[in-house]
Amino acid sequence: MNRDIVLLRAVEVAALATHKYIGRKDKKLIDQAAVEALEVILKNEKDFKLKVVNGEGELDEAPMLYSGQILGDIENPEAKIYDLSVDPVEGTYPAAYNFAGSVAAIAVSRLNTQLQLPEMYMEKLFVSDEFREWIDLKKGIINVIKDMQKFCQRKDLKCIILDKPRHKEIIEELSAIGVIVRMIQDGDVLAAIDVVNGAADFVYGIGGAPEGSLMASLAIASGCKMQSRLVPYQEIWPNEKETKLRMQTENAWIEKHNIDFDTILEDLDLIADERARFFAAGITAGGSLRPIDYKNGKFYVNAFMASHGIARNIKSVYDIKKVNALKPGIKSIFDKYKR
Ligand code: VTB
């Protein structure tokens, strides 16, 4: 079986397993369903192995998809092994409340090419291929966007940005220089897919670092470009109870990795593989992927994959009766998670 199809199916099944719990206001149930689906679908898959680099957390925090876990053809010493970043549900909150922005996503690349990223904030700029030469975060975001405007001789670039208090000023500045700003509540990974699909010119903002790995693989695989920088927790939340402890953990990570809060990270610093692949499937509505749906014994899922500069949007229909025979365990996933 072609590995890409297996991986595509993995995100599709993760997305459709969430269907039962969409809008039920329980983030945990949503996440559990997708994690279980991924585990079942990748179990005993032949001829390749996947090593989780960015997953659900460390072994003591996550029973499945923890960093270091090996999936796939685990008994076979010959099977080639790849690095994996996985977010079974990127945007558990929007999925739980049926808001826009949630997807299942994975990134796969050669072994030991992915940087394990901490639970930290990250400033990210993801630009379409047209602007890849102009990305230069150390100049500051507004200067970069002005360079892009000059280069293409139009001001009305389309930007997607998370609608968070921390972005208030930058949203005003972007609007003031003529950028058309689309604000999203959650889900910058889907926003990056929107850029690849031509719906926007760039995504900018401070979001999660582990998701940066997924976005970097998407940039590499699609010919777009991403730069990022880690942002200290205290810059976003100066007065929270956990700020002090968070900063200790973050500083320890920084020291260990020879990366600091000023380091501009290229996409290839996060995933050092030009042949990285990215797979996703839509869970809730909002961006360029259709949300997951179920009707009369069929699941409808909008999947997406990118590799080698090719981006594919795929509308898949799962006929449960037939698919149930696909592999052991899959019937229980469908029975358990259809409404
Ligand atoms: C969210 C989420 C993003 O980062 O914004 C999160 O919607 C972190 O921000 O898709 P908050 O702590 O303010 O919620 C992402 O998960 C990924 O970058």
Side-chain angles (χ1 to χ4, degrees):
M1 188 68 201
N2 180 302
R3 196 178 69 236
D4 286 341
I5 296 289
V6 172
L7 295 170
L8 196 62
R9 205 163 63 195
V11 284
E12 288 176 345
V13 175
L16 59 82
T18 66
H19 182 260
K20 182 171 181 175
Y21 299 119
I22 303 268
R24 292 210 185 162
K25 304 183 174 56
D26 190 331
K27 295 200 301 183
K28 232 185 159 151
L29 283 177
I30 295 257
D31 201 49
Q32 268 168 9
V35 170
E36 186 187 337
L38 271 178
E39 182 97 353
V40 166
I41 202 88
L42 292 172
K43 200 173 188 165
N44 303 326
E45 204 48 69
K46 291 291 169 235
D47 301 328
F48 69 95
K49 287 184 268 201
L50 299 165
K51 183 177 126 205
V52 179
V53 179
N54 293 295
E56 294 282 282
E58 298 296 329
L59 175 58
D60 53 354
E61 304 161 0
M64 286 194 269
L65 302 181
Y66 53 86
S67 324
Q69 186 182 4
I70 309 287
L71 305 163
D73 204 354
I74 46 176
E75 306 291 337
N76 177 3
E78 309 277 289
K80 198 164 171 193
I81 179 158
Y82 296 87
D83 274 2
L84 173 76
S85 282
V86 50
D87 204 345
V89 183
E90 142 54 6
T92 46
Y93 182 78
Y97 288 83
N98 205 0
F99 291 142
S102 182
V103 295
I106 63 180
V108 175
S109 61
R110 278 186 294 116
L111 185 63
N112 299 329
T113 56
Q114 299 190 9
L115 179 64
Q116 186 184 351
L117 289 155
E119 270 306 325
M120 231 189 250
Y121 282 104
M122 183 182 248
E123 178 187 17
K124 297 175 253 188
L125 173 60
F126 183 107
V127 301
S128 76
D129 59 332
E130 187 184 353
F131 300 108
R132 46 175 299 130
E133 305 303 327
W134 300 95
I135 192 168
D136 191 359
L137 254 192
K138 66 177 182 306
K139 283 186 164 178
I141 177 66
I142 293 298
N143 289 329
V144 178
I145 303 310
K146 282 183 177 164
D147 284 350
M148 284 165 42
Q149 289 175 322
K150 229 182 270 165
F151 161 71
C152 68
Q153 297 193 331
R154 57 190 173 91
K155 293 218 181 287
D156 58 347
L157 298 182
K158 288 188 195 147
C159 158
I160 308 176
I161 187 164
L162 290 166
D163 183 14
K164 305 272 177 183
R166 58 181 177 267
H167 295 148
K168 192 171 169 281
E169 277 171 33
I170 202 78
I171 289 169
E172 281 166 15
E173 287 178 55
L174 287 167
S175 302
I177 60 167
V179 171
I180 302 171
V181 177
R182 169 152 79 90
M183 297 202 275
I184 53 169
Q185 238 177 349
D186 287 289
D188 49 14
V189 176
L190 178 57
I193 294 174
D194 290 351
V195 169
V196 176
N197 278 333
D201 297 297
F202 68 98
V203 180
Y204 174 75
I206 298 173
E211 293 82 358
S213 180
L214 296 165
M215 290 164 72
S217 80
L218 174 58
I220 296 163
S222 66
C224 292
K225 189 98 185 97
M226 184 179 112
Q227 281 185 337
S228 60
R229 183 182 64 86
L230 291 167
V231 176
Y233 193 80
Q234 68 187 21
E235 201 176 301
I236 314 291
W237 307 107
N239 303 316
E240 296 302 304
K241 251 207 304 234
E242 68 260 37
T243 301
K244 216 171 145 200
L245 193 66
R246 284 274 203 152
M247 286 315 303
Q248 280 170 9
T249 323
E250 294 188 359
N251 286 325
W253 189 93
I254 292 277
E255 242 162 71
K256 197 170 140 201
H257 287 82
N258 202 20
I259 289 172
D260 62 33
F261 293 117
D262 297 323
T263 312
I264 304 293
L265 298 157
E266 302 294 334
D267 39 28
L268 287 165
D269 292 330
L270 305 190
I271 300 198
D273 185 1
E274 288 285 359
R275 301 173 70 163
R277 282 141 205 272
F278 172 88
F279 304 82
I283 294 179
T284 57
S288 56
L289 296 183
R290 302 275 312 142
I292 185 79
D293 201 5
Y294 175 83
K295 253 181 279 173
N296 301 331
K298 287 178 183 161
F299 276 111
Y300 296 80
V301 52
N302 193 172
F304 174 95
M305 85 163 271
S307 69
H308 305 98
I310 307 167
R312 296 184 168 92
N313 289 270
I314 302 149
K315 287 192 175 158
S316 308
V317 183
Y318 279 63
D319 183 334
I320 299 198
K321 283 194 298 309
K322 189 103 178 127
V323 179
N324 272 339
L326 184 65
K327 61 188 292 170
I330 198 160
K331 183 174 186 324
S332 66
I333 294 286
F334 290 136
D335 288 346
K336 202 162 154 189
Y337 296 121
K338 72 171 196 282
R339 292 212 183 205

